[in-house]
Amino acid sequence: MAAPATVIHTVGSKVWVPDPADSWVKAEVQKIEDGKDGAGVLIVALEESGELRRVPASDAPLQNVETRGVEDMTRLSYLHEPGVLWNIKSRYIFDDIYTY
């Protein structure tokens, strides 16, 4: 019997989901289902459109809580691809382009 997976998602969690047009988009977990082989599947609502999508839990990293980005990316709560890209974009929008 396989060991249970670590649960990091709950209903209401803010996550990133892969998107063919924008790379990553913000979403909120609406429901958690059991998928094949015990892997979790999330039903998420996209933040901007409200569209519902089914995504594997492993493909939905949690969003950072920072609202404007941080100068030092090691201060991000979750250091992953969508978090780093969002931080750079956010700082660019606010003309705080330099980061480390």
Side-chain angles (χ1 to χ4, degrees):
M1 183 154 119
T6 303
V7 176
I8 61 169
H9 298 96
T10 59
V11 172
S13 292
K14 304 288 188 181
V15 296
W16 292 100
V17 294
D19 184 74
D22 295 320
S23 296
W24 296 93
V25 292
K26 292 182 176 186
E28 182 175 326
V29 176
Q30 302 294 307
K31 185 177 179 183
I32 302 172
E33 299 177 345
D34 288 333
K36 296 177 185 173
D37 302 324
V41 175
L42 306 176
I43 308 300
V44 300
L46 301 186
E47 190 175 280
E48 290 191 15
S49 67
E51 173 191 344
L52 293 178
R53 290 192 187 170
R54 291 174 56 92
V55 296
S58 60
D59 288 349
L62 295 171
Q63 289 182 29
N64 291 300
V65 297
E66 294 80 15
T67 57
R68 188 172 172 181
V70 295
E71 183 176 347
D72 180 355
M73 285 201 244
T74 63
R75 292 184 48 222
L76 290 171
S77 303
Y78 305 106
L79 190 58
H80 45 54
E81 179 184 347
V84 169
L85 293 173
W86 172 86
N87 189 62
I88 292 169
K89 181 179 179 179
S90 175
R91 290 183 56 78
Y92 180 82
I93 289 169
F94 288 105
D95 201 27
D96 290 333
I97 60 172
Y98 298 103
T99 188
Y100 55 95

